[in-house]
Amino acid sequence: MHELGIVFHIIKTVERVGAENKLVQVSAVTLELGEVSGVVPQELSSCWSWAVKKTELMKEATLEIETIPALTFCEGCQKTYETVQHGRICPLCGSEHTYLVQGNEINLKEIKAH
Amino acid sequence: MDKVRIIEIKESVFADNDREAERLRAELKREKTFLLNLMSSPGSGKTTLLMRTIEALKDKLRIGVLEADIDSAVDAEKVATTGVKTIQLHTGGMCHLDAGMTEQGLKELGTADLDLVVLENVGNLVCPAEFDTGAVKNAMILSVPEGHDKPLKYPLIFTVCDVLIINKIDVLPYFDFDLDKVKEYAHMRNPNLKLFPLSAKTGEGMDVWLDWLQQEIKDWNQTT
């Protein structure tokens, strides 16, 4: 359900960019997806196939997903570690004072069109 | 055959929505209407808190309500019994509202003669947090039975909110809910988050929340 809303927003943005650049047909859209963005890629892809068919500009567009690994910074020991593997508590010093550096992105990277 | 072109966009999927939300906020500012986005999981007491809030303020402020649900109108019908203007929005299966849907709802409601509009978002701690609705302030409700570890499990919503209402404190003795822990976890995600422990049912703690809300509405109408 969440994924469908995201797909609608991508379509809206691509249609705006399409109009600005006088594009006829979009063949591919590349998305950067963080590992902990909360978006399920398979879910996103199935929403995509359903939703783009309803548009003229994007009816043949494929969705390409580039994954951005999630990294967390620890304020305790000033080091960075892999979020998915270790979670919120620093595996190096045990500190709870950590924050995500990258990995929650849902970015529209580029579109391929003619 | 036309040449294939690559167009770099390099922006968040939410960038368009964020721009729409900014525009909506600027419009609300001109109209002197304060939009509060109320979020929580289902069953946290959102509708009860909303009704108690309306009852306390409806003689001082002109209030309107946007009820967002995936389907049905039970909440809107309940809220309408308080006598304020209420509109039910159906998201058509989607788990959140975005700025565009909020704007449509506000147009339908008519905001020119309203001081406060409360948007009761879809009951969900994940998706509504991603989409800026154009609200002036975001508040979320966490109720005691849900447990104090929610800020750890759903960090984003605690980051985007200005206020955390801890509801149902009247049942604190029966649950393993640590108020200090929830404060600690929530402030770890958002040091500026304001916490209001209260019980919408008994009325305990409601005054602090109502004072905050009224002050915010006053500030919104005064600052240029």
Side-chain angles (χ1 to χ4, degrees), chain A residues 14-96:
Chain A
V14 173
E15 284 185 329
R16 175 176 56 78
V17 174
E20 283 166 8
N21 292 280
K22 299 189 172 54
L23 303 177
V24 184
Q25 201 68 64
V26 172
S27 56
V29 173
T30 309
L31 199 67
E32 290 176 332
L33 207 56
E35 265 184 311
V36 294
S37 62
V39 176
V40 184
Q42 293 89 330
E43 197 67 32
L44 197 66
S45 296
S46 60
C47 291
W48 181 268
S49 320
W50 176 81
V52 291
K53 283 201 190 80
K54 298 183 178 298
T55 72
E56 192 43 47
L57 180 70
M58 297 174 69
K59 60 179 188 240
E60 287 160 17
T62 57
L63 175 67
E64 280 157 29
I65 297 172
E66 291 178 5
T67 306
I68 299 177
L71 295 174
T72 296
F73 181 77
C74 170
E75 287 177 341
C77 65
Q78 306 282 306
K79 286 196 176 80
T80 303
Y81 64 89
E82 288 162 2
T83 312
V84 175
Q85 205 182 331
H86 303 288
R88 201 181 49 82
I89 294 165
C90 177
L92 304 160
C93 73
S95 169
E96 288 190 352

Side-chain angles (χ1 to χ4, degrees), chain A residues 1-2 4-6 8-10 12-14 16-17 21-24 27 31-32 37-39 88 96-99 104 106-114, chain B residues 1-14 16-17 19-20 70 92-96 98-100 124 126-127 130-131 152 156 184-185 188-189:
Chain A
M1 290 200 295
H2 179 210
L4 186 59
I6 288 169
F8 283 148
H9 276 277
I10 298 173
K12 215 159 142 189
T13 305
V14 173
R16 175 176 56 78
V17 174
N21 292 280
K22 299 189 172 54
L23 303 177
V24 184
S27 56
L31 199 67
E32 290 176 332
S37 62
V39 176
R88 201 181 49 82
E96 288 190 352
H97 296 276
T98 59
Y99 61 86
N104 61 353
I106 310 175
N107 293 335
L108 199 50
K109 190 185 176 195
E110 57 184 33
I111 63 181
K112 207 184 280 178
H114 58 78
Chain B
M1 191 73 187
D2 295 333
K3 230 176 84 190
V4 172
R5 296 165 65 188
I6 305 265
I7 298 167
E8 251 198 41
I9 301 179
K10 274 278 178 200
E11 65 172 25
S12 163
V13 164
F14 305 113
D16 266 15
N17 184 64
R19 279 189 289 268
E20 261 180 60
I70 289 173
M94 277 203 285
C95 47
H96 62 272
D98 59 17
N124 182 330
V126 185
C127 319
E130 302 264 25
F131 293 87
L152 303 178
L156 182 65
E184 186 194 327
Y185 293 154
M188 223 144 72
R189 297 292 155 230

